[in-house]
Each structure stands twice: as C-alpha cells, then as structure tokens.
Amino acid sequence: MAQSVLMFENKFSLKSSNRPQDISIENWESWSWQNKNALKTVEQLSAALPLTASELLALSHSPALFKTRLTPYSLSLINLEEVHDPVRRMLIPQANELSSGAQSLFDPLGERKPQNRVTSRLIHRYTDRVLFLATDFCSVYCRYCTRKNFTAQDQNTISPKDIAEALEYIREHTEIREVIFSGGDPLSLSNSKLEFLLSEVRSIPHIEIIRMGSRVPVVAPMRMDVELLKILKKYQPLYLMTHFNHPNEFTLDAAEKLFQITDSGIPVMNQMVLLNGVNNHPALVQALNRRLLYYRVKPYYMFQCDPSEGTDHLRTSIEESISIQRQLWGRFSGLAMGSLSMDIPDGGGKMTYAPNFEVSKTPNSRHYKGWDNVESEYINPNPKQSMQPLVDQNYSEEYKKLL
C-alpha cells in the first residue's frame, strides 16, 4: 500500500501525559507495565494524591462498591490539587456512590433478560447485530459504568465452552451481520486471544462488520502499538469505537495513536457520555469533538448517562442535555455533532433527541423557527403523487431478515 502523504500535526498544541521523573520512558510506554502498576487500593491512591473525605469514605467501603482501578497514565491526566478535576470525578469513587439517589438499576440496559442474553457472553438485542462480551476486565473502571453487573467480576478469561456457544449462535442466525466486541474492554485481551476471536468471527460468511468498543486509546494509548494495529487491520471492515469524555483526556499521546489507527485504514468513532460536573457544558463538548474530528475520529454518540448503581450524582437531566445540544446546533459543524441518545431503561433500546424547531403544523404543512430565528414553512406535496419505487428482489430479501 502506498505511503500516506498525511503528516501528523499538533494542531491544538496538545500536551503529552505527565510522566513522573522516576518512571522510565520504556516502562511508561509499556502497556503491561501500566496494567501491573494500576492503582486499586486506598493506600495506593492516598500515596498518589490527597484524597477528599468523600473519596476516603467511598474507598473504605470499596468491597461493596464497583472496583477502583487507574492506570498510572490515567492518573497523570488528573490535576492532583483540584478536587473537582473531571478525570478524577470519572475514575475515583465518591461517597455519593453509597446512595441510590433518584434511580438506581442493577441492569439498566436489560442485558440479563433471557430474551436478550442468548448465551453467557452474547447479547442479541437488535436484529442484525450482537454484542460479544469478550472480557469483564478494563484497564480503568469508570464510576459511571453501565455494565457494573458484569464488569470487574474477575471473569476476564472466557472459557472455550462460552466461546463455542457464542460462535455457534452467530453461525445459526444469518440475520446477524455485525458483531460488536465489548465487555469489559476487548483490547485488554492479549493479542493472541483477541486475534483468535476476530478470526473466528470473520470466518462466518454472513458477518459483514466487526465493531470494537474500547476506552484503551483514552486511558492506555500505548496499547495501540504496531502489532495490535496489524491484527485489527487484518480483519477489516472493522470499526473502532473510542470513549473520550473530556478534552483533558485528549493528549498528544492519544492523538498520535489515533492518527496511526486511522492511517491504517481503521475508521474510528467516539462515544461520549454527558456527565454532571465533568463535561456538561457546550464549551467542553465542542472542544473535545473539534479535536476528535481533526484527527479523523467521528463524534458518534453523546449519550445520556445510564442510571446504573451509584451513578446518580454523575447523571445530567435530559433537559440539560438537550440544552447543551441546542446551544451547539447550527453553530457547530454537523460532522462534529454526536447524536444525543439514551438507552431506554430496562432494555427499551436506543432513542435519539434533536432540538424541536417546529412552531406549528397543519395537515399539509409545518411551520419552523430555526436555530438562528429564521422562520419558514414546509408544505407537503400532494399525497396522491406518492408512488412506491422499484425494489430489487435481493434488496427485499435483505430487508426481510430485519423483520
């Protein structure tokens, strides 16, 4: 393949991660070193930064809470003197997690319902795609995790039986066209285990698309090395779904890796979660998405935070989320606007929001007032003109599989 003519440019004067002087570059850039030296206990965290009373209380109850885990790299993104630092708020537990708040669900997406959890590691909620829980392990554990009922349960190694059951189900259901690897974080698997799963899925004739959901490019970008990229590239079409939430996470380290990923021909899309006290301001959303888009990462979703256990203090209201979206609408490139979406609690599926610019309507027309206050009317054509197009039988058969 011809050498790319594109050259990496530090367009936004991005800063590198703050590597401690007592840690060698070799160790710092080693993914295995980052995992082995992750901070998990109150003693480790207390030695790294001054903890607040709320954080100490939460960590003292840690056995009853979702596990805590920070890579040294992710710790370096935190301003240690700022108690309201956004990365800190996402990764270090607070006493608020001990309260159920307005809504607290063990399984907010309904993934444990028998009709959705078709095997121990496979969720089939939407007709043409399945979610493959490749591992329950993550390099860091985010406090707003939607899958606390599964993640961090020390089941990171999938049994051969679980793999066989999942693959057999996919082979038998030819309506499935897409497999989404998630967990946990699938990129926390070793290269050999990851390639085995990818090769098995890619060998199934009716599978067209593979999706890989991962926060690794955010919290341990050194994982995205040449060997891993070669593996991912081998099983294209493969889409990488990243999970940046705040511009402070978008370091020079991360940008360089994202540039290499997209230069390898792997499309990258970002799924951001709106989080109270973290990114719930239009200036932060635009700052993150502008930087993502420049480095060829498409802002895909702007998610409403799911009401999983202990997340009430991190959730925004739907009204606030729509307000943030509306303040950016029309002023910000459509390419940079992620779709504001919510998973209906208890497994109702995804729904999307958009600002309502409709002022009034009649049976034949609708009146609008746009984001910049321009008003106009859209008049429907005569319904008697409606006609059905010619549809090739092949397209009809494809469509029937979705029904």
Side-chain angles (χ1 to χ4, degrees):
M1 191 174 87
Q3 180 74 26
S4 171
V5 297
L6 294 170
M7 300 294 290
F8 178 83
E9 176 191 1
N10 191 0
K11 168 75 173 178
F12 298 96
S13 300
L14 302 173
K15 297 179 181 178
S16 296
S17 58
N18 187 21
R19 175 178 60 88
Q21 292 184 349
D22 61 338
I23 299 174
S24 69
I25 295 177
E26 182 181 13
N27 280 340
W28 189 253
E29 295 181 352
S30 165
W31 171 59
S32 60
W33 183 92
Q34 291 281 340
N35 274 335
K36 288 176 183 176
N37 289 274
L39 290 80
K40 296 173 279 189
T41 67
V42 63
E43 293 79 16
Q44 291 172 328
L45 287 165
S46 295
L49 76 165
L51 295 172
T52 66
S54 175
E55 291 166 340
L56 283 167
L57 179 59
L59 287 163
S60 69
H61 287 75
S62 58
L65 294 177
F66 187 56
K67 285 184 179 179
T68 302
R69 181 182 176 88
L70 285 75
T71 57
Y73 172 88
S74 61
L75 176 69
S76 78
L77 306 183
I78 298 174
N79 178 352
L80 303 183
E81 304 305 319
E82 176 54 71
V83 297
H84 299 300
D85 179 89
V87 178
R88 179 179 192 150
R89 191 167 169 82
M90 284 188 280
L91 300 183
I92 299 179
Q94 300 179 40
N96 288 326
E97 289 189 36
L98 301 169
S99 171
S100 59
Q103 189 176 22
S104 179
L105 301 179
F106 175 69
D107 180 22
L109 303 186
E111 292 178 338
R112 288 181 171 267
K113 289 183 174 181
Q115 65 267 36
N116 296 333
R117 192 70 161 264
V118 291
T119 77
S120 62
R121 294 287 182 146
L122 213 59
I123 297 164
H124 194 181
R125 177 67 186 84
Y126 301 97
T127 305
D128 73 335
R129 54 204 182 277
V130 289
L131 189 78
F132 199 134
L133 300 173
T135 176
D136 79 327
F137 177 81
C138 290
S139 294
V140 306
Y141 293 133
C142 303
R143 307 321 301 171
Y144 56 88
C145 180
T146 192
R147 204 170 284 136
K148 290 181 178 179
N149 61 72
F150 173 79
T151 305
Q153 301 297 316
D154 298 324
Q155 305 172 49
N156 53 304
T157 302
I158 309 179
S159 71
K161 179 177 178 292
D162 289 342
I163 294 174
E165 286 179 350
L167 293 172
E168 185 61 26
Y169 182 90
I170 297 170
R171 290 189 187 99
E172 291 177 352
H173 289 259
T174 57
E175 76 276 15
I176 298 172
R177 301 166 182 170
E178 181 175 351
V179 174
I180 305 167
F181 284 102
S182 185
D185 196 317
L187 293 186
S188 68
L189 294 171
S190 68
N191 285 351
S192 59
K193 290 179 180 178
L194 182 63
E195 180 157 27
F196 172 76
L197 291 175
L198 288 171
S199 63
E200 288 293 312
V201 166
R202 182 49 77 202
S203 71
I204 300 172
H206 55 269
I207 296 303
E208 299 168 3
I209 302 296
I210 294 175
R211 242 194 279 184
M212 189 75 59
S214 177
R215 194 146 151 77
V216 157
V218 185
V219 299
M222 57 286 299
R223 169 70 176 113
M224 310 304 297
D225 57 20
V226 173
E227 185 179 356
L228 176 60
L229 290 184
K230 284 182 179 178
I231 292 171
L232 298 180
K233 187 175 181 179
K234 190 188 301 185
Y235 298 99
Q236 295 189 73
L238 182 150
Y239 288 75
L240 179 62
M241 320 304 291
T242 58
H243 186 22
F244 290 87
N245 289 320
H246 193 280
N248 287 6
E249 296 179 309
F250 201 80
T251 63
L252 183 61
D253 314 55
E256 287 177 334
K257 289 297 182 181
L258 289 169
F259 190 85
Q260 293 168 17
I261 295 166
T262 56
D263 229 26
S264 298
I266 299 168
V268 184
M269 306 174 82
N270 190 66
Q271 303 181 142
M272 183 190 78
V273 179
L274 277 173
L275 297 166
N276 181 41
V278 174
N279 59 10
N280 53 326
H281 193 288
L284 294 172
V285 175
Q286 71 84 30
L288 173 62
N289 287 2
R290 183 181 172 209
R291 285 153 179 77
L292 286 167
L293 194 61
Y294 186 81
Y295 293 104
R296 295 177 287 177
V297 177
K298 172 68 179 81
Y300 180 40
Y301 278 127
M302 184 165 65
F303 271 125
Q304 189 69 18
C305 182
D306 295 315
S308 55
E309 294 176 337
T311 65
D312 203 68
H313 65 292
L314 289 171
R315 294 193 292 128
T316 59
S317 68
I318 292 173
E319 290 74 19
E320 181 180 12
S321 301
I322 293 174
S323 174
I324 292 169
Q325 180 193 51
R326 178 143 192 164
Q327 290 176 72
L328 291 170
W329 201 277
R331 297 174 174 86
F332 197 38
S333 168
L335 279 173
M337 288 289 292
S339 174
L340 177 57
S341 302
M342 180 185 75
D343 276 290
I344 299 171
D346 205 29
K350 288 183 178 61
M351 62 169 292
T352 59
Y353 293 96
N356 183 13
F357 296 106
E358 186 174 280
V359 176
S360 62
K361 64 181 178 180
T362 71
N364 298 316
S365 67
R366 297 183 182 231
H367 189 84
Y368 297 96
K369 185 175 183 180
W371 64 273
D372 54 355
N373 295 321
V374 172
E375 294 191 49
S376 191
E377 186 178 32
Y378 184 89
I379 300 173
N380 286 327
N382 189 329
K384 293 181 180 180
Q385 296 177 190
S386 178
M387 63 176 287
Q388 290 296 301
L390 296 173
V391 181
D392 187 280
Q393 186 175 353
N394 288 331
Y395 303 151
S396 294
E397 292 303 318
E398 289 177 17
Y399 174 65
K400 286 177 183 177
K401 288 190 176 183
L402 300 177
L403 304 180

